[in-house]
């Protein structure tokens, strides 16, 4: 019976090794440690590795019992699938990881990119203030050319705010920190009203900033701030009644709070 079971497991392992990418999935339910699935069956757990983008894949004990050769081949297949997912969803992180190793990238920029990469490509600007202060105007262009926005409150890449990227970012950060998976915010949401601690933490990591009881996606905060600068340049009124702000459904107190956070101050229109 054990011999038959071993043969069955070996056949399944060979099927896994030959399986197309569509048969695999990331297992990242809130409260669980992230792992890898094959045909809806969890076959590996992710553990902290050498870097955020390189977690260690530990296959299920049943696979290990089949021998080191099969276990290594299964691990290699899972790593190959995971790399393909990173290329699909986390290309900006792969880009800055490569840039941080290139000799022609200035040392101060490499240091900043390493910090940004360790944070999963989204970080509060205040957390990089020291590194930013060492980077001159031309060197900042290197970061911008990689697609990253150096915003008034946050540094981020638009592609990393997408649902697929958010899922992988939160999973990899959970693995690297040895913490359970946090809940993801609703896909595509711009404005949230969350209260639970884990939900707030998940939203912050996915790219939302809290203003009181409301969370706003950081790219929208940047657009709001940019609108303020454009209005000042044109000497135009910019307030909660402006079309873009109305389209977001922001109240006047929330709009004012966001603008203050972005460094603006209200002024009274001259008669």
């Amino acid at each position: 019976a054990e011999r038959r079971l071993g043969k069955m497991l070996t056949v399944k392992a060979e099927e896994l090794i030959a399986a197309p990418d569509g048969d695999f999935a990331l297992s990242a339910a809130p409260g669980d440690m992230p792992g890898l699935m094959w045909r809806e069956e969890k076959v590996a757990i992710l553990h902290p590795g050498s870097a955020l983008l390189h977690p260690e894949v530990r296959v299920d004990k049943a696979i290990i019992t089949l021998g080191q050769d099969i276990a290594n081949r299964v691990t290699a297949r899972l790593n190959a699938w995971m790399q393909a997912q990173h290329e699909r969803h986390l290309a900006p992180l792969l880009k800055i990881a490569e840039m941080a190793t290139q000799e022609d990238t200035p040392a101060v920029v490499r240091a900043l990119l390493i910090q940004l990469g360790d944070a999963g490509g989204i970080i509060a600007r205040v957390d990089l203030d020291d590194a930013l202060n060492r980077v001159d105007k031309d060197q900042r262009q290197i970061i911008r050319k990689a697609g990253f926005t150096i915003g008034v409150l946050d540094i981020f890449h638009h592609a990393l705010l997408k649902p697929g990227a958010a899922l992988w970012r939160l999973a990899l950060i959970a693995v690297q920190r040895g913490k359970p998976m946090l809940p993801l915010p609703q896909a595509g949401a711009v404005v949230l009203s969350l209260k639970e601690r884990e939900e707030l933490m998940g939203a912050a990591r996915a790219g939302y900033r809290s203003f009181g009881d409301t969370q706003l996606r950081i790219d929208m905060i940047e657009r709001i701030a940019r609108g303020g600068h454009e209005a000042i340049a044109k000497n135009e009124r910019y307030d909660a009644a402006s079309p873009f702000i109305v389209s977001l459904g922001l109240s006047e107190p929330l709009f004012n709070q966001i603008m203050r956070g972005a460094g603006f101050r209200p002024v009274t229109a001259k008669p």
Side-chain angles (χ1 to χ4, degrees):
E2 288 184 6
R3 194 175 300 164
R4 273 203 311 274
L5 180 60
K7 283 187 176 181
M8 288 171 60
L9 289 173
T10 300
V11 169
K12 287 189 70 175
E14 293 291 349
E15 288 177 0
L16 183 157
I17 292 164
D21 281 0
D23 283 1
F24 299 95
L26 174 65
S27 172
D32 288 351
M33 293 305 296
L36 302 180
M37 308 272 288
W38 173 62
R39 295 180 183 173
E40 300 184 358
E41 182 179 347
K42 202 166 191 175
V43 293
I45 297 289
L46 298 180
H47 287 260
S50 59
L52 185 74
L53 292 172
H54 300 286
E56 180 188 350
V57 175
R58 294 188 189 175
V59 296
D60 188 86
K61 290 180 180 179
I63 297 172
I64 294 174
T65 62
L66 299 177
Q68 197 63 48
D69 177 62
I70 288 180
N72 288 343
R73 290 166 61 212
V74 168
T75 301
R77 179 66 187 97
L78 294 173
N79 272 314
W81 175 80
M82 194 163 51
Q83 178 63 25
Q85 294 302 299
H86 290 177
E87 291 171 1
R88 177 181 177 186
H89 298 293
L90 303 176
L93 285 179
L94 293 173
K95 173 70 173 175
I96 61 174
E98 180 185 4
M99 289 171 61
T101 65
Q102 294 173 343
E103 290 186 5
D104 59 346
T105 302
V108 289
V109 176
R110 288 203 303 269
L112 189 150
L113 293 177
I114 290 169
Q115 284 184 261
L116 182 58
D118 287 345
I122 295 175
I123 192 169
R125 180 167 176 155
V126 68
D127 292 337
L128 273 184
D129 265 351
D130 288 344
L132 272 175
N133 289 337
R134 300 188 189 99
V135 177
D136 64 31
K137 186 177 179 181
D138 290 338
Q139 291 169 339
R140 290 188 183 202
Q141 281 302 112
I142 298 172
I143 300 162
R144 292 191 174 101
K145 283 181 179 178
F148 283 82
T149 296
I150 302 175
V152 292
L153 294 177
D154 299 281
I155 300 173
F156 62 93
H157 195 294
H158 287 273
L160 297 177
L161 296 171
K162 293 181 178 180
L167 173 64
W168 274 101
R169 287 185 59 259
L170 263 67
L172 293 173
I173 292 171
V175 170
Q176 198 69 357
R177 296 186 179 184
K179 301 287 187 181
M181 183 73 180
L182 290 169
L184 281 164
Q186 180 183 345
V190 173
V191 182
L192 302 168
S193 295
L194 305 174
K195 293 180 174 60
E196 295 295 328
R197 180 173 175 270
E198 286 78 12
E199 290 181 339
L200 289 168
M201 291 172 64
R205 204 160 285 170
Y208 292 77
R209 182 174 280 271
S210 287
F211 296 91
D213 295 331
T214 303
Q215 298 78 43
L216 190 63
R217 208 171 64 206
I218 56 177
D219 60 328
M220 289 299 111
I221 298 171
E222 189 61 25
R223 283 186 63 182
I224 292 169
R226 195 184 313 132
H229 288 295
E230 291 171 356
I232 291 171
K234 297 176 182 177
N235 197 27
E236 294 178 349
R237 185 183 182 92
Y238 190 63
D239 55 24
S242 298
F244 175 57
I245 307 305
V246 172
S247 73
L248 293 176
L250 303 183
S251 67
E252 184 172 357
L254 177 57
F255 170 75
N256 291 337
Q257 189 178 2
I258 293 168
M259 293 301 284
R260 283 194 298 270
F264 292 87
R265 294 294 177 265
V267 295
T268 304
K270 295 179 181 179

